[in-house]
Amino acid sequence: VAQTTDWSLSNASVIRFRGQPAAELRVGSGPIYTIYPCKDGYVRLIVLSPRQWQAMRAWLGEPESLQEEHWDGFIARLSIMDLLQPLYTEHFAQMKMDEVCVEAQKRGIVCTPVLPPERVLDNVHLRSRGTFLDAQVAPGVVGPVASGFFEIDGERQGFRRRGPALGEHNALLAEAGWDPRPKPALTTPQPSSPLAGLRVLDFGIGGVGVEAARLLAVYGADVIKVETRSYPDFIRVILSSEMSPSFASSSHSKRGFGVNAKQPGGLRLLHELVKRCDVIIENGSNGMMEELGVGYAAVRKLNPRVVMVSSQLLGSRGEWADWIGYGPSTQPLGGLVHLWNYPDQEFPAGGAAIFPDHLAGRLCSIGALAGLLRREQTGAGSHVEVAQIEAVTGLLGDLLLKAGLEPGSVRPLGNRSERGAPWGAYPCAGEQHWCVINVRDDDDWARLRDALGNPGWATDPALDRAAGRFAAHDALDAQLAEWTSARDRREVERILQEHGVPAGAMLTGSDQLDDPQLLARGYPRSIEQQDLGPITFEGPCWRATGMSDVIIFQAPRLGEHTREICRELLGRGEAEIDGLFEQGDLEGPLPS
């Protein structure tokens, strides 16, 4: 979980080092991923780049007050959001969700519809992709099942058969002579980096491909980040320089190779690298790799053993495959924004998290390993695809199945759960400080009551059973909030944990820097990052007895290792390398 919190740890560490105030308060969808009402629901509109803004301004009819070139910059437009938001709202008011989004996308504007579960299941794009399949989920019960996160060489990897009934296959296992006892290992290997010897070309941008490649890097792969200043990773340059904490977090432990593939010499060098690599990772828009001359058909001819991993917003095929967007653009279409709300609130609460970018990156790295394992068996490479929208629908698969079986049964629950009561995030002393408390069963309730000192309001016998607690959830929340509000979130966590009640303080990135549990596990890793200063990176997300510690070193400048890679991997001499730089085929770091 800590690995997927939008670079909060690295950003918090840089902010602290610079002595700046940390803005770590909840802001809903905020000014970037804003949600607007329309005729039959809501849409999420994201207008970041000058080109997107100019297209949006034209769609509004070129208002005279918005013509200054100054407003082309997103940071400048933040100051007039109070003016822009009513304009957008009025503009969308007479259009339906799909109308708004189709027209916006036609104009090159990022916009996606906020769909409830039933409309997710019926969406034209998801139907065209086979995101769900009608399958038997229990004897005699057929419903819409998320068909899987991955496609390998066009074949969906996911659902195969329904879950078994208890003991259903006992006779089959006995007949096969299945032995459930684990076989002891013959030897204990010396700890090593499991991916040492693998070479990865990272064409990732933003938060998907780069995260996948970084995970492979820290476990031993030689990851080469391929970039050009004509099309830089936008996370690298988001702070108007060539290094940002977010970029450093996603691209540390890699080497940087600057090359312009639109130059004939640059493309030849890229092709030579393809022949010397095991994995290629990319998450550009559909067709981008083909335009660069390194699409899968091309790289397979160059290197039949290469595993290519691709991740596009809505996948490489389907009715809306050409739609553009960012991670948060998939949340509304996949049903998450609708469900991530309060039961008594119609307007979506929203959130500024870039989910599912970090999750999709991890799915991509799993897909890369699957391709490499298959290569061990067959000798051939493969093309792995992860559609980012299906990271959302796959995670919500159980709820979407329920909505298909019982239409109208899946609704926003706020911070509550059908699993138990009381259940939620409770306010503590301080500004937006919270502690999550979960009462799963009657035993948890008894322990919570003891932790609170058996107050009178908790002694009603009806509360000893789940039905009574669900019925009194509002009253219980009010009483619990009164108790938690008088205490520090860590104190609430400590008291309840000591009594065996599931509870956890809600931490910010700044809190994680000093968290004793994370520190005890060696999770925060602090190093010196060029162009930024001291920074703290996320440490390992998993460990194994035969595995050495993760490899972490600073993120590269753009093209920092271009010469080194040309010499070592491509066998070029210094004079030839100089000529390639002069021709614009190669790029290196800017002068200090």
Side-chain angles (χ1 to χ4, degrees):
V1 173
Q3 282 237 350
T4 61
T5 52
D6 296 1
W7 310 291
S8 59
L9 191 70
S10 54
N11 278 275
S13 69
V14 171
I15 288 170
R16 176 180 290 186
F17 168 70
R18 293 175 178 173
Q20 299 169 339
E24 297 176 304
L25 303 179
R26 291 152 58 98
V27 294
S29 290
I32 301 178
Y33 309 124
T34 313
I35 293 170
Y36 295 95
C38 52
K39 196 172 182 179
D40 64 340
Y42 302 89
V43 296
R44 169 165 275 171
L45 177 73
I46 306 175
V47 181
L48 294 182
S49 71
R51 184 168 56 182
Q52 292 166 4
W53 161 245
Q54 289 156 13
M56 188 70 220
R57 189 180 63 198
W59 196 14
L60 292 172
E62 296 291 1
E64 188 175 339
S65 60
L66 300 177
Q67 296 301 313
E68 289 183 35
E69 188 177 338
H70 173 69
W71 302 128
D72 284 359
F74 172 71
I75 300 300
R77 290 199 305 279
L78 286 178
S79 65
I80 57 168
M81 289 304 290
D82 288 346
L83 166 66
L84 293 177
Q85 289 180 354
L87 285 178
Y88 297 156
T89 300
E90 182 181 359
H91 189 64
F92 299 150
Q94 300 307 312
M95 289 185 276
K96 293 184 176 180
M97 284 189 289
D98 283 3
E99 289 179 272
V100 172
C101 297
V102 168
E103 181 62 26
Q105 291 283 345
K106 196 183 298 182
R107 293 169 176 267
I109 301 165
V110 175
C111 192
T112 46
V114 177
L115 300 183
E118 289 76 12
R119 291 189 66 170
V120 174
L121 295 171
D122 194 42
N123 176 258
V124 61
H125 176 70
L126 300 179
R127 286 205 319 271
S128 70
R129 280 190 53 77
T131 297
F132 302 97
L133 54 90
D134 289 323
Q136 186 183 63
V137 295
V141 180
V142 174
V145 177
S147 57
F149 292 113
F150 308 95
E151 290 179 307
I152 300 183
D153 290 340
E155 181 182 352
R156 183 75 69 163
Q157 311 295 313
F159 183 87
R160 292 291 180 268
R161 62 186 67 86
R162 66 169 174 80
L166 182 64
E168 181 177 350
H169 300 109
N170 284 3
L172 183 66
L173 293 171
E175 186 180 310
W178 178 64
D179 184 353
R181 292 173 296 177
K183 299 292 187 291
L186 298 178
T187 59
T188 301
Q190 289 298 312
S192 61
S193 294
L195 304 184
L198 292 174
R199 182 168 296 119
V200 178
L201 296 188
D202 171 15
F203 289 85
I205 54 173
V208 177
V210 290
E211 289 272 310
R214 190 257 284 169
L215 280 175
L216 302 182
V218 298
Y219 291 105
D222 175 21
V223 175
I224 297 172
K225 181 156 183 61
V226 180
E227 294 179 274
T228 173
R229 285 193 177 83
S230 59
Y231 187 65
D233 185 342
F234 67 90
I235 295 297
R236 178 189 275 283
V237 297
I238 198 169
L239 297 181
S240 300
S241 68
E242 289 195 353
M243 187 64 69
S244 73
S246 301
F247 175 86
S249 172
S250 286
S251 286
H252 66 69
S253 309
K254 303 175 185 179
R255 295 197 285 173
F257 186 69
V259 61
N260 188 342
K262 295 196 173 180
Q263 295 270 110
L267 182 58
R268 283 194 296 272
L269 291 167
L270 261 187
H271 284 176
E272 289 187 45
L273 274 181
V274 166
K275 294 175 184 178
R276 292 162 173 79
C277 77
D278 301 283
V279 176
I280 297 172
I281 298 176
E282 64 92 10
N283 65 295
S285 57
N286 277 317
M288 185 196 81
M289 295 294 282
E290 283 74 15
E291 289 178 16
L292 293 176
V294 283
Y296 182 61
V299 302
R300 184 174 55 184
K301 289 179 181 177
L302 294 164
N303 182 354
R305 287 174 53 81
V306 75
V307 175
M308 188 168 189
V309 182
S310 299
S311 182
Q312 277 65 51
L313 188 80
L314 302 184
S316 63
R317 55 182 173 75
E319 290 287 326
W320 294 346
D322 61 342
W323 280 24
I324 59 173
Y326 308 93
S329 303
T330 62
Q331 298 173 16
L333 181 57
L336 181 61
V337 167
H338 174 85
L339 292 174
W340 198 340
N341 203 7
Y342 300 96
D344 58 349
Q345 179 173 306
E346 183 178 344
F347 196 95
I354 67 167
F355 178 89
D357 276 16
H358 302 280
L359 171 63
R362 278 141 186 82
L363 293 173
C364 287
S365 56
I366 292 170
L369 296 178
L372 291 168
L373 287 170
R374 191 170 88 162
R375 188 177 75 174
E376 290 288 314
Q377 299 169 339
T378 67
S382 53
H383 190 195
V384 179
E385 294 188 73
V386 175
Q388 292 154 34
I389 179 62
E390 290 169 353
V392 179
T393 55
L395 260 287
L396 297 178
D398 57 334
L399 296 175
L400 294 170
L401 171 61
K402 183 180 179 183
L405 295 172
E406 305 170 20
S409 64
V410 179
R411 297 178 295 275
L413 297 176
N415 288 315
R416 295 182 179 180
S417 171
E418 295 175 343
R419 293 180 56 195
W423 187 294
Y426 295 88
C428 300
E431 185 178 11
Q432 290 197 22
H433 285 188
W434 308 79
C435 187
V436 171
I437 302 171
N438 306 133
V439 173
R440 303 161 297 182
D441 51 35
D442 297 343
D443 289 340
D444 279 351
W445 169 249
R447 287 190 286 267
L448 174 63
R449 196 174 51 203
D450 288 344
L452 301 177
N454 290 297
W457 57 266
T459 57
D460 183 346
L463 300 177
D464 291 343
R465 296 290 177 265
R469 295 193 297 275
F470 276 114
H473 209 314
D474 288 345
L476 292 176
D477 278 354
Q479 295 287 356
L480 264 177
E482 184 177 340
W483 181 80
T484 58
S485 295
R487 291 165 175 81
D488 179 80
R489 57 193 159 155
R490 288 293 201 179
E491 182 188 5
V492 172
E493 175 187 68
R494 178 186 58 78
I495 292 171
L496 297 187
Q497 286 284 347
E498 285 175 352
H499 284 79
V501 179
M506 190 185 84
L507 302 187
T508 65
S510 296
D511 296 327
Q512 289 181 324
L513 291 169
D514 308 312
D515 180 65
Q517 174 68 10
L518 292 177
L519 290 170
R521 290 184 57 78
Y523 180 74
R525 300 296 177 95
S526 298
I527 69 167
E528 186 78 17
Q529 170 63 52
Q530 57 192 349
D531 305 322
L532 289 177
I535 191 170
T536 301
F537 290 137
E538 300 81 357
C541 58
W542 43 268
R543 306 164 186 265
T545 52
M547 186 186 298
S548 56
D549 193 18
V550 289
I551 299 167
I552 293 180
F553 53 85
Q554 66 182 2
R557 292 175 172 144
L558 196 154
E560 179 175 348
H561 303 96
T562 302
R563 288 182 176 275
E564 173 185 303
I565 290 166
C566 281
R567 286 193 306 267
E568 295 178 4
L569 296 184
L570 304 180
R572 297 298 200 273
E574 288 298 335
E576 185 178 358
I577 294 172
D578 288 341
L580 291 166
F581 270 99
E582 290 171 9
Q583 293 164 200
D585 297 317
L586 293 178
E587 299 175 21
L590 294 172
S592 299

